[in-house]
Amino acid sequence: MIYVRMLITITAFACIALVALLFAGLPGPAAAAKFIASSAFITLALYSGALTSVYGRLILAGLALSWCGDMFLVGQSRTAFLAGLSAFLLAHVAYVTAFVRHGYARRWVLVAAVPVTAIAISVFVWLAPHTLPDLLNPVRAYIAVISVMVIFAIGTQGQGGSRLIVAGAIMFFLSDLSVASLRLVQTDYPTYLIGLPLYYAGQVCLALSSAQSRSH
Protein backbone atom coordinates (compact mmCIF):
# COMPACT_ATOMS: atom_id res chain seq x y z
CA MET A 1 0.00 0.00 0.00
CA ILE A 2 2.87 2.36 0.76
CA TYR A 3 4.18 1.90 -2.79
CA VAL A 4 0.76 2.74 -4.23
CA ARG A 5 0.64 5.98 -2.24
CA MET A 6 4.20 6.79 -3.20
CA LEU A 7 3.45 6.29 -6.91
CA ILE A 8 0.34 8.46 -6.71
CA THR A 9 2.46 11.16 -5.08
CA ILE A 10 5.16 10.86 -7.75
CA THR A 11 2.55 11.16 -10.50
CA ALA A 12 1.03 14.22 -8.86
CA PHE A 13 4.30 16.06 -8.29
CA ALA A 14 5.61 15.19 -11.76
CA CYS A 15 2.38 16.53 -13.24
CA ILE A 16 2.72 19.77 -11.28
CA ALA A 17 6.31 20.08 -12.49
CA LEU A 18 5.22 19.38 -16.07
CA VAL A 19 2.60 22.15 -16.00
CA ALA A 20 5.02 24.61 -14.41
CA LEU A 21 7.81 23.84 -16.88
CA LEU A 22 5.50 24.16 -19.88
CA PHE A 23 4.24 27.48 -18.56
CA ALA A 24 7.83 28.62 -18.10
CA GLY A 25 8.64 27.68 -21.70
CA LEU A 26 11.09 24.88 -20.88
CA PRO A 27 10.13 22.00 -23.22
CA GLY A 28 13.16 19.82 -22.48
CA PRO A 29 12.68 19.54 -18.70
CA ALA A 30 8.90 19.35 -19.31
CA ALA A 31 9.41 16.26 -21.46
CA ALA A 32 11.39 14.65 -18.63
CA ALA A 33 8.60 15.45 -16.15
CA LYS A 34 6.04 13.95 -18.53
CA PHE A 35 8.12 10.77 -18.83
CA ILE A 36 8.22 10.41 -15.04
CA ALA A 37 4.50 11.10 -14.55
CA SER A 38 3.40 8.73 -17.30
CA SER A 39 5.78 5.97 -16.25
CA ALA A 40 4.51 6.32 -12.69
CA PHE A 41 0.88 5.58 -13.59
CA ILE A 42 1.91 2.41 -15.42
CA THR A 43 3.91 1.28 -12.40
CA LEU A 44 0.92 2.17 -10.20
CA ALA A 45 -1.29 -0.18 -12.21
CA LEU A 46 1.24 -2.98 -11.77
CA TYR A 47 1.40 -2.46 -8.02
CA SER A 48 -2.41 -2.32 -7.91
CA GLY A 49 -2.63 -5.83 -9.35
CA ALA A 50 -3.31 -5.13 -13.02
CA LEU A 51 -1.67 -8.39 -14.08
CA THR A 52 -4.01 -10.52 -11.93
CA SER A 53 -7.11 -10.10 -14.12
CA VAL A 54 -8.07 -9.74 -17.78
CA TYR A 55 -9.66 -6.38 -16.93
CA GLY A 56 -6.44 -5.21 -15.29
CA ARG A 57 -4.30 -6.31 -18.21
CA LEU A 58 -6.54 -4.43 -20.64
CA ILE A 59 -6.32 -1.32 -18.47
CA LEU A 60 -2.54 -1.75 -18.39
CA ALA A 61 -2.53 -1.96 -22.19
CA GLY A 62 -4.50 1.30 -22.33
CA LEU A 63 -2.05 2.96 -19.97
CA ALA A 64 0.93 1.73 -22.00
CA LEU A 65 -0.60 3.08 -25.22
CA SER A 66 -1.30 6.36 -23.43
CA TRP A 67 2.37 6.47 -22.42
CA CYS A 68 3.28 6.14 -26.10
CA GLY A 69 0.82 8.90 -26.96
CA ASP A 70 2.37 11.15 -24.32
CA MET A 71 5.83 10.64 -25.77
CA PHE A 72 4.66 11.29 -29.33
CA LEU A 73 2.96 14.51 -28.30
CA VAL A 74 6.21 15.87 -26.94
CA GLY A 75 6.82 16.76 -30.57
CA GLN A 76 4.99 19.68 -32.17
CA SER A 77 4.87 18.42 -35.75
CA ARG A 78 1.77 17.22 -37.58
CA THR A 79 3.29 13.73 -37.80
CA ALA A 80 3.84 13.64 -34.04
CA PHE A 81 0.26 14.81 -33.49
CA LEU A 82 -1.13 12.04 -35.73
CA ALA A 83 1.05 9.42 -34.04
CA GLY A 84 -0.12 10.61 -30.63
CA LEU A 85 -3.74 10.66 -31.76
CA SER A 86 -3.43 7.08 -33.05
CA ALA A 87 -1.82 5.85 -29.83
CA PHE A 88 -4.51 7.44 -27.68
CA LEU A 89 -7.25 6.14 -29.95
CA LEU A 90 -5.93 2.60 -29.42
CA ALA A 91 -5.69 3.30 -25.69
CA HIS A 92 -9.38 4.17 -25.61
CA VAL A 93 -10.17 1.00 -27.56
CA ALA A 94 -8.31 -0.95 -24.86
CA TYR A 95 -10.32 0.82 -22.15
CA VAL A 96 -13.62 0.12 -23.91
CA THR A 97 -12.63 -3.55 -24.17
CA ALA A 98 -11.75 -3.55 -20.46
CA PHE A 99 -15.14 -2.10 -19.50
CA VAL A 100 -16.97 -4.63 -21.68
CA ARG A 101 -14.93 -7.41 -20.08
CA HIS A 102 -15.79 -6.04 -16.64
CA GLY A 103 -19.48 -6.23 -17.45
CA TYR A 104 -22.02 -3.51 -18.03
CA ALA A 105 -25.75 -2.92 -17.75
CA ARG A 106 -27.42 -2.26 -21.09
CA ARG A 107 -29.88 0.15 -19.52
CA TRP A 108 -27.07 2.27 -18.08
CA VAL A 109 -25.34 2.30 -21.48
CA LEU A 110 -28.48 3.40 -23.32
CA VAL A 111 -29.21 6.17 -20.82
CA ALA A 112 -25.59 7.41 -20.94
CA ALA A 113 -25.50 7.29 -24.74
CA VAL A 114 -27.98 10.16 -25.14
CA PRO A 115 -26.11 12.99 -23.36
CA VAL A 116 -22.65 11.72 -24.29
CA THR A 117 -23.56 11.52 -27.99
CA ALA A 118 -25.01 15.04 -27.85
CA ILE A 119 -21.77 16.31 -26.31
CA ALA A 120 -19.69 14.45 -28.90
CA ILE A 121 -21.61 16.02 -31.78
CA SER A 122 -21.23 19.46 -30.22
CA VAL A 123 -17.48 18.94 -29.80
CA PHE A 124 -17.05 17.92 -33.44
CA VAL A 125 -19.08 20.91 -34.66
CA TRP A 126 -16.81 23.11 -32.53
CA LEU A 127 -13.57 21.55 -33.80
CA ALA A 128 -14.46 21.05 -37.48
CA PRO A 129 -13.87 24.67 -38.63
CA HIS A 130 -10.40 24.60 -37.02
CA THR A 131 -9.38 21.19 -38.39
CA LEU A 132 -7.51 20.58 -41.64
CA PRO A 133 -9.59 18.57 -44.16
CA ASP A 134 -7.28 15.55 -44.04
CA LEU A 135 -7.57 15.45 -40.25
CA LEU A 136 -11.36 15.53 -40.12
CA ASN A 137 -11.84 11.76 -40.31
CA PRO A 138 -9.17 10.95 -37.69
CA VAL A 139 -10.64 13.56 -35.35
CA ARG A 140 -14.17 12.27 -35.99
CA ALA A 141 -13.04 8.70 -35.24
CA TYR A 142 -11.27 9.81 -32.08
CA ILE A 143 -14.29 11.67 -30.75
CA ALA A 144 -16.44 8.61 -31.44
CA VAL A 145 -14.08 6.26 -29.59
CA ILE A 146 -13.66 8.46 -26.51
CA SER A 147 -17.44 8.90 -26.35
CA VAL A 148 -17.98 5.15 -26.46
CA MET A 149 -15.35 4.81 -23.74
CA VAL A 150 -17.28 7.15 -21.43
CA ILE A 151 -20.61 5.45 -22.24
CA PHE A 152 -19.34 1.98 -21.34
CA ALA A 153 -17.51 3.30 -18.28
CA ILE A 154 -20.88 4.53 -17.02
CA GLY A 155 -22.39 1.21 -18.04
CA THR A 156 -20.10 -0.66 -15.63
CA GLN A 157 -21.93 1.02 -12.74
CA GLY A 158 -24.90 -1.19 -13.45
CA GLN A 159 -22.69 -4.22 -12.78
CA GLY A 160 -21.06 -3.01 -9.57
CA GLY A 161 -18.16 -1.23 -11.23
CA SER A 162 -15.88 1.00 -9.21
CA ARG A 163 -16.62 4.72 -9.34
CA LEU A 164 -12.96 5.10 -10.20
CA ILE A 165 -13.83 3.81 -13.68
CA VAL A 166 -16.35 6.57 -14.37
CA ALA A 167 -14.18 9.25 -12.77
CA GLY A 168 -11.17 8.17 -14.81
CA ALA A 169 -13.08 8.00 -18.09
CA ILE A 170 -14.72 11.41 -17.68
CA MET A 171 -11.49 13.13 -16.66
CA PHE A 172 -9.70 11.57 -19.62
CA PHE A 173 -12.49 12.79 -21.92
CA LEU A 174 -12.21 16.33 -20.57
CA SER A 175 -8.43 16.30 -20.87
CA ASP A 176 -8.77 15.33 -24.53
CA LEU A 177 -10.89 18.42 -25.08
CA SER A 178 -8.04 20.42 -23.58
CA VAL A 179 -5.55 18.94 -26.05
CA ALA A 180 -7.92 19.54 -28.96
CA SER A 181 -8.47 23.17 -28.02
CA LEU A 182 -4.73 23.73 -27.69
CA ARG A 183 -3.58 21.88 -30.84
CA LEU A 184 -6.52 22.48 -33.20
CA VAL A 185 -8.35 25.60 -32.03
CA GLN A 186 -5.08 27.12 -30.76
CA THR A 187 -6.65 29.04 -27.91
CA ASP A 188 -4.69 31.83 -26.28
CA TYR A 189 -5.33 30.32 -22.84
CA PRO A 190 -2.89 27.48 -22.02
CA THR A 191 -5.53 24.77 -21.56
CA TYR A 192 -2.93 22.31 -20.30
CA LEU A 193 -3.13 24.10 -16.95
CA ILE A 194 -6.41 22.24 -16.47
CA GLY A 195 -6.08 19.45 -19.01
CA LEU A 196 -2.89 17.83 -17.74
CA PRO A 197 -4.03 17.52 -14.09
CA LEU A 198 -7.32 16.03 -15.36
CA TYR A 199 -5.44 13.61 -17.59
CA TYR A 200 -3.11 12.31 -14.91
CA ALA A 201 -5.88 12.14 -12.31
CA GLY A 202 -7.96 10.15 -14.77
CA GLN A 203 -5.14 7.72 -15.53
CA VAL A 204 -4.47 7.24 -11.82
CA CYS A 205 -8.16 6.43 -11.26
CA LEU A 206 -8.14 3.86 -14.07
CA ALA A 207 -4.90 2.34 -12.81
CA LEU A 208 -6.35 2.03 -9.30
CA SER A 209 -9.58 0.51 -10.63
CA SER A 210 -7.67 -2.64 -11.51
CA ALA A 211 -7.27 -3.29 -7.77
CA GLN A 212 -11.06 -3.47 -7.39
CA SER A 213 -11.72 -5.64 -10.41
CA ARG A 214 -9.47 -8.63 -9.94
CA SER A 215 -12.28 -11.13 -10.50
CA HIS A 216 -12.91 -9.95 -14.08
Side-chain angles (χ1 to χ4, degrees):
M1 190 64 180
I2 187 173
Y3 290 110
V4 169
R5 292 176 180 173
M6 181 178 68
L7 287 164
I8 292 172
T9 301
I10 290 172
T11 306
F13 276 100
C15 175
I16 293 170
L18 170 58
V19 171
L21 290 165
L22 285 174
F23 194 74
L26 299 170
K34 176 180 279 192
F35 176 83
I36 294 170
S38 299
S39 298
F41 64 56
I42 292 179
T43 310
L44 175 62
L46 291 170
Y47 270 100
S48 296
L51 294 177
T52 63
S53 67
V54 175
Y55 170 85
R57 289 192 289 273
L58 287 167
I59 290 294
L60 184 61
L63 293 170
L65 286 162
S66 296
W67 184 94
C68 293
D70 287 332
M71 297 305 106
F72 284 130
L73 290 182
V74 168
Q76 296 297 315
S77 68
R78 179 176 175 277
T79 300
F81 176 75
L82 281 173
L85 190 74
S86 298
F88 278 116
L89 188 147
L90 292 174
H92 287 302
V93 170
Y95 289 146
V96 171
T97 307
F99 302 154
V100 171
R101 170 67 189 187
H102 176 284
Y104 61 92
R106 184 175 298 179
R107 180 180 176 184
W108 284 69
V109 166
L110 292 175
V111 170
V114 176
V116 174
T117 300
I119 293 171
I121 292 172
S122 299
V123 168
F124 182 73
V125 169
W126 169 53
L127 292 177
H130 307 280
T131 305
L132 294 174
D134 58 338
L135 288 178
L136 282 174
N137 284 333
V139 169
R140 186 182 290 115
Y142 192 84
I143 292 172
V145 171
I146 64 174
S147 300
V148 170
M149 190 262 300
V150 172
I151 290 168
F152 277 92
I154 295 172
T156 63
Q157 299 302 285
Q159 291 292 328
S162 168
R163 291 181 181 178
L164 289 169
I165 295 174
V166 175
I170 291 176
M171 284 190 283
F172 203 162
F173 181 91
L174 293 175
S175 73
D176 280 336
L177 295 185
S178 165
V179 174
S181 64
L182 191 65
R183 291 297 184 98
L184 298 177
V185 181
Q186 297 182 343
T187 57
D188 294 329
Y189 176 76
T191 54
Y192 58 79
L193 293 175
I194 298 174
L196 284 171
L198 282 172
Y199 169 72
Y200 282 103
Q203 296 287 49
V204 164
C205 286
L206 291 172
L208 290 173
S209 73
S210 60
Q212 301 182 19
S213 304
R214 295 187 181 183
S215 61
H216 298 282

